[in-house]
Amino acid sequence: MKYQVGIVGGGPGGYVCALRAAQLGLSVLLIEGERIGGTCLNKGCIPTKALVRSAELWREIKHADTFGIQISDAGIDFSKVTARKDQVVDTLVAGIERLIKAAKITYVEGFGQVREAGKIEVETATGPENYEVENLVLATGSVPARLPIPGAGLPGVLTSDEILEMTELPERLVIIGGGVIGLEFASIYQEFGVKVTVVEMLPSLLANIDEEIPKRMTPLLKKAGMQIMTKTALKEIRQEASQLTVVVEDAKGQKEIAADKVLIATGRKANCRGIDLEHLGLRTERGAIIVNSKMQTSLPNVYAIGDVTGGIMLAHVASMQGIAAAENIAGLHTEVSYKAVPSAIFTYPEIAVVGQTEQALKTSGQEYKVSKFPFSANGKALALGEIMGLVKILADKQGVVLGASIMGPQASSLIQELVLAVEKGLNAEELVRTIHAHPTLPEAIMEAAHGIFEKPLHLV
């Protein structure tokens, strides 16, 4: 049988592509070498958020007295925390497996090898299998980037994949990288009582978002007990007796940090395992596959989606690209817009951003307006006991929303109103004239929108 669509990789790009293609009546082959759901479900987004929830609950318990709740003999059983994490993942994996079966998608467990555009060889547990496809979708994702420094391969030096396998809490954790992955793990383990040190080579944490947010976040992390070292380079990791010694260097010279575990969280790179790029003749850039807005590669009938394209490495972007690839194969002519891509960072407090940053607008010379509203002036935030942070909206001279940042309670959910505003080119006035329920956190967005033209109503 020759399948109309063959997909190599079953992550949030690949399996969503498969489901959409099946909806459109196409015959679909889906190949995954590890476990359906990919990095996001098994080693990233979902397990980390399960850990985040446990950390949140522990934080609430520690501050329960503030709400008049007396709790005694509370503690952390980290083995149960990780068991719950695994249960959440298993439940979602089983759900995807049911969806694939119901959609009558042919699912093959094994690593796909692609040497010709219309053919896939799969290394399964029982031996190689060969399949023919009319359209090929490459969705092989990404892998953690490893630093070429002495000691990076020592036991106890972990990637974001491996740290999720820990069932015991270390006393001291050094995290190399102050980006999204590093700070999420830092926030989780710091809340559980681990002594956390974050080492970042750049001048600030979270360098790719609006610079005001890390400026506000960094003091909060330090106040919580986290050690933050920016403008600091990793030089070496040494094994010394029962501990690791992390050697770093800043403007004042070299320093040594003792650690039980070290997390390397310096980003991810495209995973082209099994794809013979040279023999196929696929155009690449810095190890990633080049695609157009329809997710087409340089070869006819060959598409690539998700992290393997080296663009915005987010699960929801991969899913949207997977839908676009399926629809284009079906002849629907769909293009992916990157105008309003939300990004959520599950630190404490949460951070979420979309669209332009203030520093980018300054650099471009474009005239803009900025408005901010603090959660300390929001009734629901005060009732929740979550008053740290703010909503920040950027707009052009006419008030059209260009970008936004939220730091505070439920930022990851709140951002969606502003994602829609950026995507559809809404004016801040339209947000103001939309009735927001009271008392709710989204009122902070409405208040910030007021400030684009006048000033927030509930702010002196």
Side-chain angles (χ1 to χ4, degrees):
M1 175 181 176
K2 190 173 188 178
Y3 292 89
Q4 290 170 293
V5 185
I7 304 165
V8 181
Y15 85 76
V16 169
C17 180
L19 291 172
R20 182 59 179 139
Q23 276 186 346
L24 295 169
L26 302 173
S27 58
V28 183
L29 168 70
L30 177 61
I31 298 161
E32 171 55 49
E34 294 184 341
R35 200 178 187 205
I36 199 69
T39 295
C40 176
L41 176 48
N42 294 287
K43 300 176 182 179
C45 323
I46 298 302
T48 54
K49 300 315 157 296
L51 294 179
V52 164
R53 178 54 190 144
S54 292
E56 287 175 343
L57 186 55
W58 179 235
R59 184 186 312 113
E60 290 169 6
I61 289 170
K62 289 188 292 184
H63 295 92
D65 186 63
T66 304
F67 295 84
I69 308 298
Q70 301 295 324
I71 298 175
S72 59
D73 300 324
I76 301 169
D77 185 335
F78 194 65
S79 64
K80 288 186 177 180
V81 170
T82 58
R84 178 183 177 274
K85 172 217 23 152
D86 294 340
Q87 183 183 35
V88 169
V89 171
D90 291 345
T91 299
L92 290 171
V93 167
I96 295 171
E97 289 172 344
R98 287 193 296 271
L99 288 171
I100 290 170
K101 185 176 180 180
K104 295 182 171 54
I105 294 164
T106 300
Y107 177 53
V108 179
E109 293 183 358
F111 285 100
Q113 304 283 331
V114 181
R115 297 180 180 85
E116 297 180 45
K119 296 180 180 179
I120 308 172
E121 180 182 316
V122 186
E123 292 294 332
T124 71
T126 57
E129 297 178 7
N130 293 285
Y131 298 90
E132 291 190 12
V133 298
E134 293 177 16
N135 297 277
L136 175 65
V137 181
L138 303 172
T140 47
S142 62
V143 293
R146 288 192 178 268
L147 292 175
I149 60 105
L154 287 171
V157 180
L158 313 172
T159 67
S160 55
D161 291 352
E162 295 151 354
I163 195 171
L164 287 166
E165 298 172 6
M166 287 198 313
T167 55
E168 294 182 0
L169 290 170
E171 289 186 14
R172 301 161 299 180
L173 174 65
V174 173
I175 297 177
I176 309 302
V180 174
I181 296 172
L183 280 195
E184 286 191 357
F185 278 112
S187 294
I188 291 166
Y189 285 99
Q190 188 276 333
E191 197 63 56
F192 286 142
V194 176
K195 182 181 178 182
V196 175
T197 301
V198 176
V199 177
E200 170 57 55
M201 187 171 62
L202 296 174
S204 74
L205 304 176
L206 300 170
N208 294 326
I209 68 172
D210 193 296
E211 60 188 5
E212 181 171 353
I213 300 303
K215 283 180 181 177
R216 289 174 176 267
M217 173 62 80
T218 302
L220 297 178
L221 296 176
K222 290 180 178 179
K223 185 178 179 181
M226 198 179 297
Q227 184 177 7
I228 306 293
M229 304 174 71
T230 54
K231 296 183 182 177
T232 304
L234 174 65
K235 306 303 290 183
E236 179 187 5
I237 303 172
R238 295 196 304 263
Q239 181 77 55
E240 295 184 351
S242 61
Q243 73 172 31
L244 294 166
T245 298
V246 182
V247 182
V248 299
E249 186 175 41
D250 61 13
K252 296 179 181 179
Q254 289 196 351
K255 300 176 183 178
E256 294 185 353
I257 312 166
D260 300 297
K261 300 288 184 182
V262 177
L263 171 63
I264 304 295
T266 50
R268 301 179 67 86
K269 62 179 182 179
N271 174 31
C272 294
R273 173 179 175 174
I275 306 170
D276 193 334
L277 298 171
E278 187 174 346
H279 189 267
L280 285 166
L282 281 172
R283 288 183 60 213
T284 62
E285 184 176 359
R286 289 182 290 185
I289 299 171
I290 296 173
V291 293
N292 62 18
S293 59
K294 295 184 177 182
M295 309 317 300
Q296 296 165 319
T297 69
S298 55
L299 297 180
N301 305 107
V302 178
Y303 297 74
I305 60 175
D307 290 4
V308 75
T309 65
I312 303 171
M313 291 188 176
L314 294 170
H316 41 284
V317 172
S319 294
M320 184 62 76
Q321 291 173 337
I323 291 169
E327 292 180 351
N328 284 310
I329 290 169
L332 297 182
H333 306 293
T334 301
E335 294 189 356
V336 179
S337 168
Y338 302 101
K339 179 181 178 182
V341 177
S343 180
I345 307 167
F346 293 85
T347 48
Y348 179 73
E350 281 186 5
I351 296 169
V353 299
V354 67
Q356 296 273 17
T357 64
E358 187 166 6
Q359 61 264 34
L361 291 172
K362 285 179 180 177
T363 301
S364 70
Q366 180 176 354
E367 293 188 54
Y368 66 93
K369 297 180 177 181
V370 59
S371 176
K372 307 168 193 176
F373 188 80
F375 282 107
S376 58
N378 176 268
K380 182 62 181 291
L382 189 62
L384 290 172
E386 300 282 354
I387 61 171
M388 290 188 294
L390 78 165
V391 175
K392 178 178 181 177
I393 297 177
L394 299 165
D396 66 14
K397 286 179 63 178
Q398 287 72 42
V400 175
V401 179
L402 302 174
S405 301
I406 303 175
M407 185 181 85
Q410 301 175 31
S412 58
S413 297
L414 292 176
I415 197 66
Q416 200 58 41
E417 180 178 356
L418 292 162
V419 174
L420 188 63
V422 174
E423 178 65 33
K424 299 302 180 183
L426 298 183
N427 196 289
E429 181 73 15
E430 294 176 278
L431 299 181
V432 169
R433 299 302 174 191
T434 300
I435 296 175
H436 289 65
H438 174 77
T440 62
L441 296 173
E443 288 179 290
I445 295 174
M446 180 183 67
E447 291 280 3
H450 264 292
I452 292 296
F453 292 106
E454 299 293 339
K455 58 183 292 187
L457 296 175
H458 292 84
L459 192 65
V460 175

